[in-house]
C-alpha cells in the first residue's frame, strides 16, 4: 500500500518569498491533516480536512498560510510571505475517516528553511 | 489549554538495558493516547494506542505502555532495547469525545542505544 506522498522534500527560500507544498494522501482516506514540526518540538496541527471541507484550522496563521483540498484528494499548503520562524518540517497525514480510533498515517515531510 | 509533556528529552542506553519514557498530559476528560516513533530518515509511525479497556497496551517491536488515569500518565516501556530502537519517540493525545482525531503531541524524546 502506498503511503502519504509529499513534495518537495526540501526547500530553501528567502524571507518574504512564497512556497507551496503538495500532499497526496493514502488512497481512500477522507481525512487529511497538515502539521508543522519546528526543530526540537512535537508536531502541531495546522489544518484538518474532511473530504474537501475544513474541520479545524484554529492554529493556522491565516495571514500568511493557506491550504486547499479542492477535489477531496490532493492538498496544497502555501506560505506567503514566509518568515524566518516558518522554518520547520511540514507533515502531511491522512486517516480513513477522521474518527478518533482511525490510525493516522504520516508522510516523510517537507523540510523548509527560510533564510 | 491541553498539553502533553515528555520529561526526558534525550536518553542514552546500552543494548539490553530497560527503557521507560515518561509522558504526562493535561486534560480532565476522556482521552485517547498514542506513542509514535520516528526512525532516522523515516516518517512517523504508530507504536501503540490506547482508547479504553485494559490500561496496559502492547505495541509493535516489544513496546508496551501503561495508562494511569490518576497520574495523567502514559509511560512507554521496553524490557530490553536494541540498537535498532534508536529513534525519536513522541507521545500524543486526542480527546476521547472528539471525532476529529486531532492529535496533540509532546516535544519528543530522542533515544540513542549504544551497541
Amino acid at each position: 500500500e502506498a503511503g502519504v506522498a509529499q513534495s518537495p522534500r526540501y526547500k530553501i527560500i528567502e524571507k518574504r518569498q512564497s512556497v507551496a507544498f503538495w500532499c497526496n494522501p493514502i488512497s481512500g482516506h477522507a481525512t487529511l491533516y497538515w502539521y508543522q514540526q519546528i526543530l526540537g518540538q512535537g508536531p502541531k496541527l495546522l489544518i484538518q480536512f474532511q473530504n474537501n471541507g475544513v474541520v479545524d484550522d484554529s492554529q493556522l496563521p491565516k495571514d500568511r498560510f493557506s491550504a486547499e483540498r479542492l477535489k477531496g484528494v490532493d492538498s496544497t499548503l502555501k506560505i506567503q510571505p514566509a518568515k524566518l520562524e516558518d522554518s520547520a518540517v511540514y507533515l502531511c497525514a491522512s486517516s480513513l475517516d477522521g474518527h478518533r480510533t482511525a490510525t493516522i498515517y504520516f508522510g516523510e515531510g517537507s523540510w523548509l528553511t527560510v533564510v | 489549554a491541553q498539553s502533553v509533556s515528555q520529561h526526558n528529552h534525550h536518553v542514552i542506553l546500552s543494548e539490553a538495558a530497560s527503557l521507560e519514557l515518561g509522558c504526562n498530559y493535561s486534560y480532565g476528560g476522556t482521552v485517547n493516547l498514542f506513542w509514535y516513533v520516528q526512525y532516522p530518515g523515516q516518517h512517523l509511525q504508530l507504536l501503540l494506542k490506547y482508547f479504553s479497556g485494559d490500561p496496559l497496551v502492547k505495541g509493535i517491536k516489544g513496546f508496551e505502555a501503561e495508562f494511569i488515569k490518576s497520574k495523567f500518565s502514559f509511560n512507554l516501556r521496553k524490557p530490553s532495547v536494541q540498537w535498532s530502537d534508536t529513534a525519536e519517540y513522541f507521545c500524543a493525545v486526542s480527546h476521547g469525545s472528539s471525532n476529529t482525531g486531532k492529535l496533540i503531541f509532546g516535544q519528543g524524546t530522542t533515544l540513542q542505544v549504544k551497541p
Side-chain angles (χ1 to χ4, degrees), chain A residues 1-104:
Chain A
E1 177 182 90
V4 177
Q6 293 189 243
S7 68
R9 291 294 315 281
Y10 305 95
K11 192 77 176 179
I12 301 174
I13 62 172
E14 295 183 349
K15 57 184 180 183
R16 291 187 290 274
Q17 286 187 325
S18 64
V19 63
F21 301 113
W22 172 83
C23 172
N24 187 7
I26 293 173
S27 178
H29 280 195
T31 308
L32 185 147
Y33 308 83
W34 283 102
Y35 281 82
Q36 178 193 56
Q37 185 177 11
I38 294 172
L39 188 64
Q41 300 181 19
K44 181 185 80 172
L45 181 70
L46 291 176
I47 189 166
Q48 178 183 346
F49 292 94
Q50 183 72 15
N51 296 308
N52 60 352
V54 175
V55 173
D56 185 343
D57 64 356
S58 57
Q59 297 191 92
L60 186 73
K62 298 179 185 64
D63 57 334
R64 298 182 300 103
F65 286 65
S66 64
E68 58 184 15
R69 193 185 185 200
L70 293 177
K71 296 183 179 179
V73 180
D74 295 6
S75 176
T76 303
L77 176 71
K78 296 179 181 177
I79 308 173
Q80 182 181 16
K83 292 186 175 181
L84 295 177
E85 60 260 35
D86 298 332
S87 294
V89 181
Y90 291 87
L91 299 169
C92 182
S94 70
S95 70
L96 188 61
D97 57 11
H99 190 265
R100 63 183 182 89
T101 61
T103 297
I104 298 176

Side-chain angles (χ1 to χ4, degrees), chain B residues 78-94:
Chain B
K78 186 171 184 178
S80 176
V81 295
Q82 300 173 325
W83 177 79
S84 57
D85 292 324
T86 294
E88 190 153 19
Y89 293 80
F90 292 93
C91 181
V93 170
S94 68

Side-chain angles (χ1 to χ4, degrees), chain B residues 20-36:
Chain B
E20 180 160 4
L21 301 182
C23 173
N24 288 89
Y25 63 91
S26 64
Y27 180 66
T30 306
V31 293
N32 308 301
L33 297 155
F34 308 82
W35 275 97
Y36 278 82

Side-chain angles (χ1 to χ4, degrees), chain B residues 1-111:
Chain B
Q2 300 83 23
S3 66
V4 178
S5 178
Q6 294 180 239
H7 309 294
N8 317 103
H9 296 294
H10 197 160
V11 174
I12 302 174
L13 295 173
S14 297
E15 276 194 314
S18 63
L19 170 72
E20 180 160 4
L21 301 182
C23 173
N24 288 89
Y25 63 91
S26 64
Y27 180 66
T30 306
V31 293
N32 308 301
L33 297 155
F34 308 82
W35 275 97
Y36 278 82
V37 62
Q38 188 168 27
Y39 298 105
Q42 297 187 26
H43 58 276
L44 277 166
Q45 302 171 43
L46 182 66
L47 260 184
L48 48 78
K49 57 189 177 184
Y50 170 81
F51 297 124
S52 63
D54 188 344
L56 183 63
V57 292
K58 295 191 184 299
I60 60 172
K61 305 188 180 187
F63 286 91
E64 65 179 30
E66 184 175 14
F67 170 49
I68 302 179
K69 188 175 181 179
S70 61
K71 295 185 178 181
F72 298 89
S73 71
F74 190 57
N75 292 354
L76 181 71
R77 300 194 293 248
K78 186 171 184 178
S80 176
V81 295
Q82 300 173 325
W83 177 79
S84 57
D85 292 324
T86 294
E88 190 153 19
Y89 293 80
F90 292 93
C91 181
V93 170
S94 68
H95 296 169
S97 58
S98 167
N99 275 323
T100 69
K102 172 183 176 179
L103 295 175
I104 300 167
F105 283 87
Q107 66 268 50
T109 297
T110 301
L111 171 66

